[in-house]
Amino acid sequence: MKILVATEKPFAKVATDGIKDIATKAGMEVVLLEKYTTKEELLAAVADVDAMIVRSDKVTPEVVAAAKNLKIVVRAGAGYDNLDLPSLTERKIVAMNTPGQNSNAVAELAIGMMIFMARAQFGGAGTEIAGKTLGIHAYGNVGRLVGLAGKALGMKVYAFDPFVADKSIFEKDGVTEVGSVKELYEKSQYLSLHIPATAETKGSIGYELAMSMPKGGTIVNTARKEVIDEAGLAKAMTEREDLKYATDVAPDAKEEYAEKFSKRYLGTPKKMGAETAEANINAGLAAANQIVGYLKEGNTKFQLNKF
Ligand code: NAD
């Protein structure tokens, strides 16, 4: 059986070595397609493989159609908006992600960006984050770690996530749950975004929410660019010169943001959230183990699509 590792942005070598090791022990073969630049290369590479590991690579209906033997695709990471679930489901190809494997890396980046903004991007005297309010928008794997780190740094932490099943987690973590998105933004001097990009959340963070933040309000986005209404946020930042935006997921209008808002805007040069050796290894190895688990034992623990 063949496992394709298709990564425009490759894993660290230690991660691909680990993936190969897991595959070999299970009697499977790994095919690497790294730093590919054309769709055609991907279409050719998927033609005869049984399984596939991707990072942010797009698994489109065209890719699915070209993958005649594909049984499982695993997104090494949390967000899976790059997988076209309807076409995978139609072909009864299992789609999985590797939740939690890169959460710590992303949470550390969010805190780092928050401090960098508080310190005026190291361009002058800044402020401290201790004693400030921090809002966690979506209390999943990453959000929770950011919340706990914020608490450890002396922040007062609020969270909004209506889908958390076990509500006792908020009390256990010393985090105050609020009842609406609006209330969260009104309370938060720092707001850390961790919602997935869904039909409901896309374009949902814009003018009104930004305008409702306290003085100096800073939004930190390590989630997805699509959740931001870019024009609306820009309008709020133009009207209120105290608002700041730091993002790991570049806006479409990144040049405009950089030019207009100067030090009130921060964009990482590339999506850096999961770019640590540890996250690479964790997510890559988890993906390989999940493929072996499914192909050998039918384990569907992290399956995203149902059929
Ligand atoms: P997760 O699945 O563990 O948590 C997502 C949380 O969002 C869940 O608790 C869910 O209940 C909540 N949620 C869903 N819809 C919501 C809504 N409308 N309002 C409020 N809460 C809602 O995911 P995670 O691992 O914490 O990752 C969060 C996001 O960060 C992912 O969607 C992914 O896109 C992004 N991410 C980015 C990077 C990066 O490199 N910057 C890396 C990993 C993940």
Side-chain angles (χ1 to χ4, degrees):
M1 292 231 201
K2 275 192 192 171
I3 305 174
L4 173 69
V5 179
T7 48
E8 281 180 295
K9 275 203 302 185
F11 286 112
K13 185 173 178 301
V14 55
T16 44
D17 286 349
I19 292 170
K20 283 181 191 159
D21 195 41
I22 291 166
T24 311
K25 282 191 181 127
M28 298 179 194
E29 183 193 340
V30 169
V31 182
L32 284 186
L33 176 69
E34 295 182 325
K35 294 188 187 166
Y36 61 95
T37 52
T38 64
K39 184 178 72 181
E40 285 66 34
E41 289 171 83
L42 180 59
L43 294 178
V46 294
D48 66 340
V49 300
D50 302 279
M52 185 179 180
I53 297 174
V54 293
R55 299 186 74 204
S56 294
D57 309 75
K58 290 197 170 56
V59 179
T60 61
E62 196 180 357
V63 173
V64 176
K68 303 285 181 231
N69 294 337
L70 194 63
K71 296 160 190 69
I72 175 169
V73 52
V74 182
R75 148 72 166 133
Y80 51 88
D81 41 336
N82 55 323
L83 305 183
D84 183 67
L85 292 184
S87 60
L88 289 164
T89 306
E90 201 185 306
R91 287 264 318 278
K92 295 201 166 28
I93 298 168
V94 169
M96 293 188 184
N97 63 346
T98 61
Q101 299 293 341
N102 56 20
S103 313
N104 191 65
V106 183
E108 286 189 14
L109 185 78
I111 294 287
M113 290 171 90
M114 221 175 281
I115 293 175
F116 192 53
M117 292 307 272
R119 290 301 181 92
Q121 301 200 17
F122 301 157
T127 53
E128 296 173 25
I129 62 172
K132 307 295 188 302
T133 54
L134 167 63
I136 306 292
H137 193 170
Y139 208 69
N141 285 299
V142 180
R144 185 177 189 204
L145 289 172
V146 175
L148 292 172
K151 286 237 10 137
L153 289 163
M155 303 181 89
K156 164 85 186 133
V157 182
Y158 298 94
F160 175 74
D161 189 330
F163 306 109
V164 167
D166 176 12
K167 296 285 180 196
S168 70
I169 195 174
F170 295 113
E171 201 182 333
K172 207 174 347 168
D173 291 352
V175 164
T176 306
E177 186 189 14
V178 300
S180 71
V181 180
K182 189 167 174 291
E183 190 185 348
L184 185 72
Y185 284 68
E186 282 170 359
K187 285 194 154 62
S188 304
Q189 289 166 292
Y190 290 86
L191 189 292
S192 199
L193 265 172
H194 305 290
I195 40 176
T198 62
E200 187 198 350
T201 63
K202 279 183 186 169
S204 65
I205 314 301
Y207 180 78
E208 276 173 29
L209 289 177
M211 288 299 280
S212 71
M213 291 180 77
K215 192 168 182 322
T218 302
I219 295 176
V220 176
N221 185 4
T222 55
R224 284 289 181 266
K225 71 169 181 183
E226 289 83 358
V227 303
I228 301 289
D229 162 11
E230 291 184 17
L233 178 59
K235 183 168 184 269
M237 289 176 71
T238 305
E239 284 180 26
R240 273 188 52 187
E241 293 195 348
D242 59 310
L243 294 177
K244 299 184 189 128
Y245 181 50
T247 183
D248 185 39
V249 279
D252 289 330
K254 65 177 176 191
E255 281 88 13
E256 184 191 328
Y257 267 74
E259 191 184 319
K260 259 195 182 160
F261 306 122
S262 179
K263 294 287 183 213
R264 291 194 289 131
Y265 168 75
L266 170 72
T268 50
K270 287 198 281 183
K271 186 146 78 73
M272 299 306 292
E275 296 304 322
T276 65
E278 292 87 343
N280 257 237
I281 295 165
N282 293 346
L285 300 195
N289 280 321
Q290 286 172 215
I291 285 173
V292 170
Y294 175 67
L295 293 177
K296 294 249 161 179
E297 288 148 30
N299 187 340
T300 54
K301 180 161 179 212
F302 296 105
Q303 184 167 351
L304 299 162
N305 53 348
K306 299 285 168 244
F307 43 76

